[in-house]
Amino acid sequence: MNGKRGLVMGVANNRSIAWGIAKAVQAQGAKLAFTYQGEPLRKRVEPLANELDAVVVGHCDVTDPATIDAVFAETERQLGGLDFLVHAIAFSDKSELDGRYVDTTADNFSKTMLISCYSFTAVAQRAEKLMTNGGSMLTLTYYGAEKWMPHYNVMGVAKAALEASVRYLAADLGPKNIRVNAISAGPIKTLAASGIGDFRYILKWNELNAPLRRTVTIDEVGDTGMYLLSDLGRGVTGEIHHVDAGYHVVG
Ligand code: 0WD
Protein backbone atom coordinates (compact mmCIF):
# COMPACT_ATOMS: atom_id res chain seq x y z
CA MET A 1 0.00 0.00 0.00
CA ASN A 2 3.05 2.29 -0.23
CA GLY A 3 2.02 5.61 -1.74
CA LYS A 4 -1.71 4.84 -1.51
CA ARG A 5 -3.98 7.41 0.12
CA GLY A 6 -7.23 6.45 1.80
CA LEU A 7 -10.17 8.08 3.56
CA VAL A 8 -11.61 6.11 6.49
CA MET A 9 -15.13 7.00 7.65
CA GLY A 10 -16.69 5.33 10.70
CA VAL A 11 -14.04 5.06 13.38
CA ALA A 12 -15.83 5.59 16.70
CA ASN A 13 -13.25 3.97 19.00
CA ASN A 14 -10.60 1.25 19.05
CA ARG A 15 -13.23 -1.47 18.79
CA SER A 16 -14.62 -0.13 15.49
CA ILE A 17 -14.31 -2.32 12.41
CA ALA A 18 -13.01 0.75 10.55
CA TRP A 19 -10.14 0.86 13.05
CA GLY A 20 -9.25 -2.77 12.29
CA ILE A 21 -9.12 -1.94 8.57
CA ALA A 22 -7.16 1.29 9.16
CA LYS A 23 -4.49 -0.56 11.17
CA ALA A 24 -4.12 -3.25 8.49
CA VAL A 25 -3.72 -0.85 5.56
CA GLN A 26 -1.43 1.52 7.44
CA ALA A 27 0.82 -1.40 8.40
CA GLN A 28 1.34 -1.92 4.66
CA GLY A 29 2.33 1.71 4.10
CA ALA A 30 -0.96 3.52 3.32
CA LYS A 31 -1.44 7.20 4.23
CA LEU A 32 -4.81 7.74 5.90
CA ALA A 33 -7.35 10.48 6.57
CA PHE A 34 -10.08 10.00 9.20
CA THR A 35 -13.43 11.70 9.66
CA TYR A 36 -15.35 11.78 12.93
CA GLN A 37 -19.02 12.26 13.69
CA GLY A 38 -19.52 15.06 16.25
CA GLU A 39 -17.37 16.55 18.99
CA PRO A 40 -17.52 13.65 21.48
CA LEU A 41 -16.04 11.32 18.85
CA ARG A 42 -13.35 13.81 17.84
CA LYS A 43 -11.66 13.26 21.19
CA ARG A 44 -11.62 9.52 20.54
CA VAL A 45 -10.60 9.67 16.89
CA GLU A 46 -7.73 12.20 17.12
CA PRO A 47 -5.45 10.06 19.33
CA LEU A 48 -6.21 6.99 17.18
CA ALA A 49 -5.33 8.96 14.04
CA ASN A 50 -2.06 10.04 15.68
CA GLU A 51 -1.21 6.42 16.39
CA LEU A 52 -1.32 5.69 12.64
CA ASP A 53 0.21 9.01 11.56
CA ALA A 54 -3.12 9.80 9.87
CA VAL A 55 -4.68 13.21 9.30
CA VAL A 56 -8.12 14.13 10.63
CA VAL A 57 -10.18 15.88 7.95
CA GLY A 58 -13.12 16.97 10.08
CA HIS A 59 -16.63 16.31 11.25
CA CYS A 60 -18.89 14.41 8.90
CA ASP A 61 -22.52 13.60 9.55
CA VAL A 62 -23.71 11.88 6.40
CA THR A 63 -27.22 13.31 6.87
CA ASP A 64 -25.71 16.76 6.20
CA PRO A 65 -24.28 16.93 2.64
CA ALA A 66 -22.32 20.10 3.42
CA THR A 67 -20.22 18.17 5.94
CA ILE A 68 -19.54 15.45 3.34
CA ASP A 69 -18.38 18.08 0.84
CA ALA A 70 -16.21 19.70 3.50
CA VAL A 71 -14.33 16.52 4.48
CA PHE A 72 -13.70 15.60 0.83
CA ALA A 73 -12.38 19.11 0.12
CA GLU A 74 -10.10 18.80 3.14
CA THR A 75 -8.99 15.32 2.04
CA GLU A 76 -8.04 16.67 -1.38
CA ARG A 77 -6.18 19.54 0.25
CA GLN A 78 -4.26 17.30 2.65
CA LEU A 79 -3.70 14.14 0.57
CA GLY A 80 -3.90 15.56 -2.98
CA GLY A 81 -6.27 12.80 -4.12
CA LEU A 82 -7.56 9.36 -3.13
CA ASP A 83 -6.77 5.74 -3.92
CA PHE A 84 -9.24 4.10 -1.58
CA LEU A 85 -12.25 4.74 0.64
CA VAL A 86 -13.57 2.86 3.67
CA HIS A 87 -17.24 3.40 4.56
CA ALA A 88 -18.10 1.82 7.92
CA ILE A 89 -21.21 3.77 8.85
CA ALA A 90 -24.66 2.62 9.91
CA PHE A 91 -27.43 3.83 12.19
CA SER A 92 -30.99 2.99 13.16
CA ASP A 93 -33.07 3.93 16.20
CA LYS A 94 -32.25 1.43 18.91
CA SER A 95 -35.93 0.99 19.74
CA GLU A 96 -36.44 -0.59 16.30
CA LEU A 97 -33.45 -2.95 16.53
CA ASP A 98 -35.59 -5.04 18.80
CA GLY A 99 -38.95 -6.71 18.39
CA ARG A 100 -40.61 -6.98 14.98
CA TYR A 101 -39.69 -5.54 11.58
CA VAL A 102 -43.35 -5.02 10.79
CA ASP A 103 -43.49 -2.23 13.40
CA THR A 104 -40.87 -0.06 11.62
CA THR A 105 -41.90 3.59 11.32
CA ALA A 106 -41.57 5.57 8.08
CA ASP A 107 -39.34 8.07 9.87
CA ASN A 108 -36.83 5.52 11.08
CA PHE A 109 -37.01 3.59 7.80
CA SER A 110 -35.91 6.75 5.93
CA LYS A 111 -33.24 7.62 8.45
CA THR A 112 -31.81 4.09 8.46
CA MET A 113 -31.73 3.94 4.65
CA LEU A 114 -30.14 7.40 4.38
CA ILE A 115 -27.36 6.77 6.89
CA SER A 116 -26.74 3.06 6.33
CA CYS A 117 -27.30 2.78 2.57
CA TYR A 118 -27.47 6.03 0.61
CA SER A 119 -24.46 7.52 2.41
CA PHE A 120 -22.19 5.04 0.61
CA THR A 121 -23.43 6.32 -2.75
CA ALA A 122 -23.12 9.92 -1.52
CA VAL A 123 -19.47 9.43 -0.56
CA ALA A 124 -18.76 7.40 -3.70
CA GLN A 125 -19.86 10.41 -5.78
CA ARG A 126 -17.28 12.60 -4.08
CA ALA A 127 -14.56 9.94 -3.97
CA GLU A 128 -14.89 9.23 -7.71
CA LYS A 129 -13.68 12.77 -8.45
CA LEU A 130 -10.55 12.28 -6.34
CA MET A 131 -9.71 8.80 -7.71
CA THR A 132 -8.09 9.98 -10.91
CA ASN A 133 -5.86 6.88 -11.19
CA GLY A 134 -8.54 4.33 -10.37
CA GLY A 135 -9.27 3.20 -6.83
CA SER A 136 -11.05 0.90 -4.45
CA MET A 137 -14.11 1.53 -2.29
CA LEU A 138 -15.22 -0.70 0.56
CA THR A 139 -18.32 -0.83 2.73
CA LEU A 140 -19.47 -3.11 5.56
CA THR A 141 -22.54 -5.28 5.52
CA TYR A 142 -24.04 -8.13 7.52
CA TYR A 143 -25.71 -11.48 6.88
CA GLY A 144 -29.03 -9.98 8.02
CA ALA A 145 -29.21 -8.56 4.47
CA GLU A 146 -29.55 -12.08 3.06
CA LYS A 147 -31.55 -13.89 5.71
CA TRP A 148 -33.87 -12.95 8.52
CA MET A 149 -31.94 -12.37 11.74
CA PRO A 150 -33.57 -11.70 15.10
CA HIS A 151 -33.86 -7.96 15.90
CA TYR A 152 -31.85 -6.79 12.85
CA ASN A 153 -35.12 -5.64 11.25
CA VAL A 154 -34.93 -2.43 9.21
CA MET A 155 -31.13 -2.60 9.26
CA GLY A 156 -31.34 -5.88 7.35
CA VAL A 157 -33.47 -4.17 4.70
CA ALA A 158 -30.99 -1.27 4.50
CA LYS A 159 -28.03 -3.68 4.22
CA ALA A 160 -29.80 -5.54 1.38
CA ALA A 161 -30.12 -2.20 -0.45
CA LEU A 162 -26.49 -1.40 0.37
CA GLU A 163 -25.37 -4.72 -1.17
CA ALA A 164 -27.39 -3.95 -4.30
CA SER A 165 -25.81 -0.52 -4.47
CA VAL A 166 -22.34 -2.13 -4.33
CA ARG A 167 -23.22 -3.93 -7.58
CA TYR A 168 -24.59 -0.80 -9.29
CA LEU A 169 -21.65 1.34 -8.17
CA ALA A 170 -19.20 -1.35 -9.34
CA ALA A 171 -20.79 -1.31 -12.81
CA ASP A 172 -20.82 2.50 -13.00
CA LEU A 173 -17.27 3.05 -11.77
CA GLY A 174 -15.54 -0.01 -13.25
CA PRO A 175 -14.69 1.74 -16.55
CA LYS A 176 -12.62 4.19 -14.48
CA ASN A 177 -10.83 1.26 -12.81
CA ILE A 178 -12.57 2.05 -9.54
CA ARG A 179 -13.55 -1.15 -7.72
CA VAL A 180 -16.44 -1.35 -5.25
CA ASN A 181 -16.81 -4.17 -2.75
CA ALA A 182 -18.32 -5.00 0.63
CA ILE A 183 -17.20 -7.17 3.49
CA SER A 184 -20.03 -9.04 5.18
CA ALA A 185 -18.57 -9.30 8.67
CA GLY A 186 -19.68 -11.74 11.32
CA PRO A 187 -20.99 -10.22 14.57
CA ILE A 188 -18.40 -8.26 16.57
CA LYS A 189 -19.01 -6.44 19.84
CA THR A 190 -18.76 -2.75 18.86
CA LEU A 191 -20.64 0.41 19.86
CA ALA A 192 -23.06 0.03 16.93
CA ALA A 193 -23.65 -3.66 17.70
CA SER A 194 -24.54 -2.88 21.31
CA GLY A 195 -27.74 -1.27 19.99
CA ILE A 196 -29.01 -4.58 18.60
CA GLY A 197 -31.35 -6.60 20.80
CA ASP A 198 -29.96 -9.87 22.25
CA PHE A 199 -26.58 -9.25 20.60
CA ARG A 200 -24.77 -11.49 23.08
CA TYR A 201 -27.02 -14.36 22.06
CA ILE A 202 -26.21 -13.76 18.37
CA LEU A 203 -22.47 -13.82 19.18
CA LYS A 204 -22.83 -17.07 21.12
CA TRP A 205 -24.97 -18.63 18.38
CA ASN A 206 -22.31 -17.81 15.77
CA GLU A 207 -19.57 -19.16 17.98
CA LEU A 208 -21.39 -22.46 18.38
CA ASN A 209 -22.45 -22.87 14.74
CA ALA A 210 -19.88 -21.22 12.45
CA PRO A 211 -17.58 -23.74 10.71
CA LEU A 212 -14.56 -22.27 12.53
CA ARG A 213 -16.52 -22.49 15.85
CA ARG A 214 -15.73 -18.90 16.79
CA THR A 215 -16.52 -15.31 15.91
CA VAL A 216 -14.19 -12.98 14.00
CA THR A 217 -12.07 -10.02 15.12
CA ILE A 218 -11.69 -6.52 13.70
CA ASP A 219 -8.13 -7.47 12.74
CA GLU A 220 -9.39 -10.35 10.60
CA VAL A 221 -11.85 -8.03 8.88
CA GLY A 222 -8.96 -5.55 8.56
CA ASP A 223 -6.70 -8.02 6.76
CA THR A 224 -9.43 -8.86 4.25
CA GLY A 225 -10.07 -5.15 3.84
CA MET A 226 -6.37 -4.67 3.07
CA TYR A 227 -6.59 -7.28 0.31
CA LEU A 228 -9.67 -5.69 -1.25
CA LEU A 229 -8.28 -2.14 -1.00
CA SER A 230 -4.84 -3.01 -2.35
CA ASP A 231 -3.67 -4.28 -5.73
CA LEU A 232 -3.97 -7.83 -4.38
CA GLY A 233 -7.70 -7.46 -5.06
CA ARG A 234 -7.27 -5.78 -8.46
CA GLY A 235 -9.49 -8.29 -10.28
CA VAL A 236 -12.30 -8.11 -7.72
CA THR A 237 -15.29 -5.78 -7.90
CA GLY A 238 -19.00 -5.90 -7.09
CA GLU A 239 -18.25 -8.58 -4.50
CA ILE A 240 -19.85 -9.22 -1.10
CA HIS A 241 -17.04 -11.04 0.71
CA HIS A 242 -17.96 -12.87 3.92
CA VAL A 243 -15.54 -12.64 6.83
CA ASP A 244 -17.66 -14.52 9.32
CA ALA A 245 -15.81 -17.72 10.26
CA GLY A 246 -17.97 -19.37 7.59
CA TYR A 247 -21.33 -18.81 9.31
CA HIS A 248 -23.09 -17.97 6.01
CA VAL A 249 -22.73 -21.54 4.75
CA VAL A 250 -24.64 -22.99 7.68
CA GLY A 251 -26.97 -20.19 8.88
O1 0WD B 1 -21.22 -6.98 14.39
C1 0WD B 1 -20.87 -5.91 13.89
N1 0WD B 1 -20.34 -4.97 14.65
C2 0WD B 1 -21.02 -5.69 12.42
C3 0WD B 1 -20.98 -4.43 11.90
C4 0WD B 1 -21.24 -6.88 11.58
C5 0WD B 1 -21.35 -6.57 10.18
C6 0WD B 1 -21.34 -5.29 9.71
N2 0WD B 1 -21.15 -4.23 10.57
C7 0WD B 1 -21.12 -2.89 10.00
C8 0WD B 1 -22.02 -1.87 10.63
O2 0WD B 1 -23.36 -2.02 10.23
C9 0WD B 1 -21.41 -0.58 10.07
O3 0WD B 1 -21.83 -0.39 8.74
O4 0WD B 1 -19.83 -2.34 10.13
C10 0WD B 1 -19.92 -0.92 10.07
C11 0WD B 1 -19.12 -0.35 11.21
O5 0WD B 1 -19.78 -0.62 12.43
P1 0WD B 1 -19.06 -1.00 13.80
O6 0WD B 1 -17.59 -0.94 13.64
O7 0WD B 1 -19.71 -2.23 14.29
O8 0WD B 1 -19.60 0.13 14.78
P2 0WD B 1 -19.04 1.51 15.40
O9 0WD B 1 -17.67 1.34 15.94
O10 0WD B 1 -20.10 1.96 16.34
O11 0WD B 1 -18.99 2.48 14.14
C12 0WD B 1 -20.11 2.88 13.40
C13 0WD B 1 -20.05 4.38 13.24
C14 0WD B 1 -20.72 5.25 14.27
O12 0WD B 1 -20.49 4.99 15.50
P3 0WD B 1 -21.72 5.21 16.59
O13 0WD B 1 -21.67 3.95 17.36
O14 0WD B 1 -21.32 6.44 17.30
O15 0WD B 1 -23.05 5.37 15.86
O16 0WD B 1 -20.81 4.89 12.19
C15 0WD B 1 -20.75 6.30 12.31
C16 0WD B 1 -20.38 6.62 13.72
O17 0WD B 1 -19.06 7.03 13.81
N3 0WD B 1 -22.01 6.95 12.04
C17 0WD B 1 -22.07 8.05 11.28
N4 0WD B 1 -21.12 8.72 10.62
C18 0WD B 1 -21.48 9.81 9.95
N5 0WD B 1 -22.76 10.24 9.91
C19 0WD B 1 -23.42 8.43 11.29
C20 0WD B 1 -23.75 9.59 10.57
N6 0WD B 1 -25.00 10.07 10.51
N7 0WD B 1 -24.14 7.55 12.05
C21 0WD B 1 -23.26 6.64 12.49
PDB file of all heavy atoms in Angstrom, residues 160-183:
ATOM      1  N   ALA A 160     -29.488  -4.909   2.671  1.00  0.00           N
ATOM      2  CA  ALA A 160     -29.804  -5.538   1.377  1.00  0.00           C
ATOM      3  C   ALA A 160     -29.696  -4.489   0.268  1.00  0.00           C
ATOM      4  O   ALA A 160     -29.130  -4.750  -0.806  1.00  0.00           O
ATOM      5  CB  ALA A 160     -31.200  -6.157   1.408  1.00  0.00           C
ATOM      6  N   ALA A 161     -30.206  -3.293   0.539  1.00  0.00           N
ATOM      7  CA  ALA A 161     -30.118  -2.202  -0.454  1.00  0.00           C
ATOM      8  C   ALA A 161     -28.663  -1.765  -0.628  1.00  0.00           C
ATOM      9  O   ALA A 161     -28.229  -1.451  -1.740  1.00  0.00           O
ATOM     10  CB  ALA A 161     -30.988  -1.028  -0.014  1.00  0.00           C
ATOM     11  N   LEU A 162     -27.908  -1.771   0.456  1.00  0.00           N
ATOM     12  CA  LEU A 162     -26.489  -1.405   0.367  1.00  0.00           C
ATOM     13  C   LEU A 162     -25.745  -2.407  -0.518  1.00  0.00           C
ATOM     14  O   LEU A 162     -24.931  -2.028  -1.366  1.00  0.00           O
ATOM     15  CB  LEU A 162     -25.878  -1.382   1.779  1.00  0.00           C
ATOM     16  CG  LEU A 162     -24.378  -1.079   1.862  1.00  0.00           C
ATOM     17  CD1 LEU A 162     -24.074   0.367   1.463  1.00  0.00           C
ATOM     18  CD2 LEU A 162     -23.840  -1.342   3.285  1.00  0.00           C
ATOM     19  N   GLU A 163     -26.042  -3.686  -0.347  1.00  0.00           N
ATOM     20  CA  GLU A 163     -25.373  -4.715  -1.165  1.00  0.00           C
ATOM     21  C   GLU A 163     -25.740  -4.552  -2.637  1.00  0.00           C
ATOM     22  O   GLU A 163     -24.894  -4.711  -3.526  1.00  0.00           O
ATOM     23  CB  GLU A 163     -25.714  -6.112  -0.642  1.00  0.00           C
ATOM     24  CG  GLU A 163     -25.091  -6.366   0.732  1.00  0.00           C
ATOM     25  CD  GLU A 163     -25.310  -7.767   1.284  1.00  0.00           C
ATOM     26  OE1 GLU A 163     -25.811  -8.643   0.546  1.00  0.00           O
ATOM     27  OE2 GLU A 163     -24.979  -7.983   2.464  1.00  0.00           O
ATOM     28  N   ALA A 164     -26.990  -4.204  -2.906  1.00  0.00           N
ATOM     29  CA  ALA A 164     -27.394  -3.954  -4.297  1.00  0.00           C
ATOM     30  C   ALA A 164     -26.650  -2.734  -4.833  1.00  0.00           C
ATOM     31  O   ALA A 164     -26.207  -2.716  -5.985  1.00  0.00           O
ATOM     32  CB  ALA A 164     -28.904  -3.757  -4.387  1.00  0.00           C
ATOM     33  N   SER A 165     -26.481  -1.723  -3.986  1.00  0.00           N
ATOM     34  CA  SER A 165     -25.808  -0.517  -4.472  1.00  0.00           C
ATOM     35  C   SER A 165     -24.334  -0.790  -4.752  1.00  0.00           C
ATOM     36  O   SER A 165     -23.748  -0.171  -5.635  1.00  0.00           O
ATOM     37  CB  SER A 165     -26.037   0.681  -3.552  1.00  0.00           C
ATOM     38  OG  SER A 165     -25.453   0.485  -2.297  1.00  0.00           O
ATOM     39  N   VAL A 166     -23.728  -1.733  -4.032  1.00  0.00           N
ATOM     40  CA  VAL A 166     -22.336  -2.127  -4.334  1.00  0.00           C
ATOM     41  C   VAL A 166     -22.257  -2.608  -5.794  1.00  0.00           C
ATOM     42  O   VAL A 166     -21.349  -2.237  -6.538  1.00  0.00           O
ATOM     43  CB  VAL A 166     -21.850  -3.234  -3.358  1.00  0.00           C
ATOM     44  CG1 VAL A 166     -20.579  -3.916  -3.869  1.00  0.00           C
ATOM     45  CG2 VAL A 166     -21.619  -2.651  -1.969  1.00  0.00           C
ATOM     46  N   ARG A 167     -23.246  -3.400  -6.211  1.00  0.00           N
ATOM     47  CA  ARG A 167     -23.225  -3.927  -7.583  1.00  0.00           C
ATOM     48  C   ARG A 167     -23.417  -2.814  -8.608  1.00  0.00           C
ATOM     49  O   ARG A 167     -22.729  -2.762  -9.642  1.00  0.00           O
ATOM     50  CB  ARG A 167     -24.286  -5.019  -7.737  1.00  0.00           C
ATOM     51  CG  ARG A 167     -23.970  -6.250  -6.873  1.00  0.00           C
ATOM     52  CD  ARG A 167     -24.953  -7.364  -7.088  1.00  0.00           C
ATOM     53  NE  ARG A 167     -26.179  -7.228  -6.320  1.00  0.00           N
ATOM     54  CZ  ARG A 167     -26.343  -7.661  -5.060  1.00  0.00           C
ATOM     55  NH1 ARG A 167     -25.366  -8.256  -4.418  1.00  0.00           N
ATOM     56  NH2 ARG A 167     -27.507  -7.505  -4.435  1.00  0.00           N
ATOM     57  N   TYR A 168     -24.355  -1.901  -8.339  1.00  0.00           N
ATOM     58  CA  TYR A 168     -24.590  -0.803  -9.291  1.00  0.00           C
ATOM     59  C   TYR A 168     -23.401   0.146  -9.351  1.00  0.00           C
ATOM     60  O   TYR A 168     -23.004   0.610 -10.424  1.00  0.00           O
ATOM     61  CB  TYR A 168     -25.889  -0.056  -8.938  1.00  0.00           C
ATOM     62  CG  TYR A 168     -27.094  -0.808  -9.457  1.00  0.00           C
ATOM     63  CD1 TYR A 168     -27.675  -1.833  -8.721  1.00  0.00           C
ATOM     64  CD2 TYR A 168     -27.612  -0.530 -10.722  1.00  0.00           C
ATOM     65  CE1 TYR A 168     -28.744  -2.561  -9.216  1.00  0.00           C
ATOM     66  CE2 TYR A 168     -28.685  -1.244 -11.230  1.00  0.00           C
ATOM     67  CZ  TYR A 168     -29.246  -2.253 -10.472  1.00  0.00           C
ATOM     68  OH  TYR A 168     -30.300  -2.971 -10.985  1.00  0.00           O
ATOM     69  N   LEU A 169     -22.816   0.439  -8.197  1.00  0.00           N
ATOM     70  CA  LEU A 169     -21.651   1.336  -8.171  1.00  0.00           C
ATOM     71  C   LEU A 169     -20.472   0.678  -8.884  1.00  0.00           C
ATOM     72  O   LEU A 169     -19.721   1.338  -9.613  1.00  0.00           O
ATOM     73  CB  LEU A 169     -21.271   1.684  -6.723  1.00  0.00           C
ATOM     74  CG  LEU A 169     -22.265   2.592  -5.977  1.00  0.00           C
ATOM     75  CD1 LEU A 169     -21.935   2.609  -4.476  1.00  0.00           C
ATOM     76  CD2 LEU A 169     -22.256   4.009  -6.535  1.00  0.00           C
ATOM     77  N   ALA A 170     -20.307  -0.638  -8.679  1.00  0.00           N
ATOM     78  CA  ALA A 170     -19.202  -1.354  -9.336  1.00  0.00           C
ATOM     79  C   ALA A 170     -19.340  -1.249 -10.857  1.00  0.00           C
ATOM     80  O   ALA A 170     -18.354  -1.027 -11.570  1.00  0.00           O
ATOM     81  CB  ALA A 170     -19.181  -2.815  -8.892  1.00  0.00           C
ATOM     82  N   ALA A 171     -20.564  -1.389 -11.353  1.00  0.00           N
ATOM     83  CA  ALA A 171     -20.785  -1.312 -12.808  1.00  0.00           C
ATOM     84  C   ALA A 171     -20.537   0.110 -13.318  1.00  0.00           C
ATOM     85  O   ALA A 171     -19.938   0.312 -14.376  1.00  0.00           O
ATOM     86  CB  ALA A 171     -22.203  -1.766 -13.145  1.00  0.00           C
ATOM     87  N   ASP A 172     -20.994   1.104 -12.571  1.00  0.00           N
ATOM     88  CA  ASP A 172     -20.819   2.498 -13.000  1.00  0.00           C
ATOM     89  C   ASP A 172     -19.356   2.922 -12.999  1.00  0.00           C
ATOM     90  O   ASP A 172     -18.905   3.653 -13.881  1.00  0.00           O
ATOM     91  CB  ASP A 172     -21.572   3.450 -12.056  1.00  0.00           C
ATOM     92  CG  ASP A 172     -23.080   3.404 -12.271  1.00  0.00           C
ATOM     93  OD1 ASP A 172     -23.530   2.834 -13.283  1.00  0.00           O
ATOM     94  OD2 ASP A 172     -23.811   3.950 -11.402  1.00  0.00           O
ATOM     95  N   LEU A 173     -18.626   2.505 -11.977  1.00  0.00           N
ATOM     96  CA  LEU A 173     -17.273   3.046 -11.772  1.00  0.00           C
ATOM     97  C   LEU A 173     -16.173   2.152 -12.339  1.00  0.00           C
ATOM     98  O   LEU A 173     -15.030   2.576 -12.449  1.00  0.00           O
ATOM     99  CB  LEU A 173     -17.045   3.306 -10.268  1.00  0.00           C
ATOM    100  CG  LEU A 173     -18.051   4.292  -9.634  1.00  0.00           C
ATOM    101  CD1 LEU A 173     -17.782   4.458  -8.140  1.00  0.00           C
ATOM    102  CD2 LEU A 173     -17.987   5.668 -10.320  1.00  0.00           C
ATOM    103  N   GLY A 174     -16.535   0.924 -12.707  1.00  0.00           N
ATOM    104  CA  GLY A 174     -15.543  -0.015 -13.254  1.00  0.00           C
ATOM    105  C   GLY A 174     -14.767   0.536 -14.445  1.00  0.00           C
ATOM    106  O   GLY A 174     -13.541   0.372 -14.510  1.00  0.00           O
ATOM    107  N   PRO A 175     -15.441   1.203 -15.405  1.00  0.00           N
ATOM    108  CA  PRO A 175     -14.691   1.739 -16.552  1.00  0.00           C
ATOM    109  C   PRO A 175     -13.593   2.724 -16.152  1.00  0.00           C
ATOM    110  O   PRO A 175     -12.673   2.971 -16.915  1.00  0.00           O
ATOM    111  CB  PRO A 175     -15.779   2.437 -17.391  1.00  0.00           C
ATOM    112  CG  PRO A 175     -17.038   1.702 -17.020  1.00  0.00           C
ATOM    113  CD  PRO A 175     -16.896   1.368 -15.554  1.00  0.00           C
ATOM    114  N   LYS A 176     -13.688   3.288 -14.956  1.00  0.00           N
ATOM    115  CA  LYS A 176     -12.616   4.194 -14.478  1.00  0.00           C
ATOM    116  C   LYS A 176     -11.615   3.441 -13.604  1.00  0.00           C
ATOM    117  O   LYS A 176     -10.834   4.060 -12.882  1.00  0.00           O
ATOM    118  CB  LYS A 176     -13.238   5.328 -13.656  1.00  0.00           C
ATOM    119  CG  LYS A 176     -14.075   6.276 -14.492  1.00  0.00           C
ATOM    120  CD  LYS A 176     -14.431   7.501 -13.680  1.00  0.00           C
ATOM    121  CE  LYS A 176     -14.971   8.590 -14.584  1.00  0.00           C
ATOM    122  NZ  LYS A 176     -15.393   9.762 -13.808  1.00  0.00           N
ATOM    123  N   ASN A 177     -11.697   2.116 -13.650  1.00  0.00           N
ATOM    124  CA  ASN A 177     -10.833   1.264 -12.813  1.00  0.00           C
ATOM    125  C   ASN A 177     -11.015   1.547 -11.323  1.00  0.00           C
ATOM    126  O   ASN A 177     -10.068   1.470 -10.536  1.00  0.00           O
ATOM    127  CB  ASN A 177      -9.354   1.379 -13.223  1.00  0.00           C
ATOM    128  CG  ASN A 177      -8.548   0.218 -12.663  1.00  0.00           C
ATOM    129  OD1 ASN A 177      -9.074  -0.880 -12.452  1.00  0.00           O
ATOM    130  ND2 ASN A 177      -7.278   0.465 -12.371  1.00  0.00           N
ATOM    131  N   ILE A 178     -12.240   1.904 -10.958  1.00  0.00           N
ATOM    132  CA  ILE A 178     -12.574   2.046  -9.536  1.00  0.00           C
ATOM    133  C   ILE A 178     -13.382   0.820  -9.149  1.00  0.00           C
ATOM    134  O   ILE A 178     -14.424   0.536  -9.753  1.00  0.00           O
ATOM    135  CB  ILE A 178     -13.374   3.339  -9.267  1.00  0.00           C
ATOM    136  CG1 ILE A 178     -12.522   4.567  -9.646  1.00  0.00           C
ATOM    137  CG2 ILE A 178     -13.806   3.398  -7.799  1.00  0.00           C
ATOM    138  CD1 ILE A 178     -13.284   5.889  -9.588  1.00  0.00           C
ATOM    139  N   ARG A 179     -12.875   0.065  -8.175  1.00  0.00           N
ATOM    140  CA  ARG A 179     -13.548  -1.155  -7.723  1.00  0.00           C
ATOM    141  C   ARG A 179     -14.396  -0.860  -6.499  1.00  0.00           C
ATOM    142  O   ARG A 179     -14.068   0.016  -5.694  1.00  0.00           O
ATOM    143  CB  ARG A 179     -12.505  -2.236  -7.410  1.00  0.00           C
ATOM    144  CG  ARG A 179     -11.664  -2.602  -8.634  1.00  0.00           C
ATOM    145  CD  ARG A 179     -10.664  -3.694  -8.345  1.00  0.00           C
ATOM    146  NE  ARG A 179      -9.612  -3.288  -7.436  1.00  0.00           N
ATOM    147  CZ  ARG A 179      -9.525  -3.647  -6.155  1.00  0.00           C
ATOM    148  NH1 ARG A 179     -10.427  -4.451  -5.613  1.00  0.00           N
ATOM    149  NH2 ARG A 179      -8.523  -3.231  -5.409  1.00  0.00           N
ATOM    150  N   VAL A 180     -15.506  -1.579  -6.371  1.00  0.00           N
ATOM    151  CA  VAL A 180     -16.438  -1.346  -5.250  1.00  0.00           C
ATOM    152  C   VAL A 180     -16.828  -2.693  -4.667  1.00  0.00           C
ATOM    153  O   VAL A 180     -17.387  -3.547  -5.370  1.00  0.00           O
ATOM    154  CB  VAL A 180     -17.700  -0.597  -5.726  1.00  0.00           C
ATOM    155  CG1 VAL A 180     -18.590  -0.249  -4.529  1.00  0.00           C
ATOM    156  CG2 VAL A 180     -17.336   0.676  -6.499  1.00  0.00           C
ATOM    157  N   ASN A 181     -16.529  -2.897  -3.405  1.00  0.00           N
ATOM    158  CA  ASN A 181     -16.806  -4.173  -2.754  1.00  0.00           C
ATOM    159  C   ASN A 181     -17.339  -3.956  -1.337  1.00  0.00           C
ATOM    160  O   ASN A 181     -17.236  -2.855  -0.787  1.00  0.00           O
ATOM    161  CB  ASN A 181     -15.511  -5.005  -2.680  1.00  0.00           C
ATOM    162  CG  ASN A 181     -15.005  -5.399  -4.053  1.00  0.00           C
ATOM    163  OD1 ASN A 181     -15.620  -6.213  -4.740  1.00  0.00           O
ATOM    164  ND2 ASN A 181     -13.891  -4.796  -4.486  1.00  0.00           N
ATOM    165  N   ALA A 182     -17.871  -5.039  -0.773  1.00  0.00           N
ATOM    166  CA  ALA A 182     -18.322  -4.997   0.627  1.00  0.00           C
ATOM    167  C   ALA A 182     -17.765  -6.212   1.352  1.00  0.00           C
ATOM    168  O   ALA A 182     -17.597  -7.281   0.753  1.00  0.00           O
ATOM    169  CB  ALA A 182     -19.844  -5.007   0.691  1.00  0.00           C
ATOM    170  N   ILE A 183     -17.493  -6.035   2.621  1.00  0.00           N
ATOM    171  CA  ILE A 183     -17.203  -7.172   3.494  1.00  0.00           C
ATOM    172  C   ILE A 183     -18.452  -7.419   4.327  1.00  0.00           C
ATOM    173  O   ILE A 183     -18.982  -6.495   4.957  1.00  0.00           O
ATOM    174  CB  ILE A 183     -16.006  -6.898   4.418  1.00  0.00           C
ATOM    175  CG1 ILE A 183     -14.714  -6.829   3.598  1.00  0.00           C
ATOM    176  CG2 ILE A 183     -15.891  -7.977   5.502  1.00  0.00           C
ATOM    177  CD1 ILE A 183     -13.472  -6.495   4.419  1.00  0.00           C
TER     178      ILE A 183
END
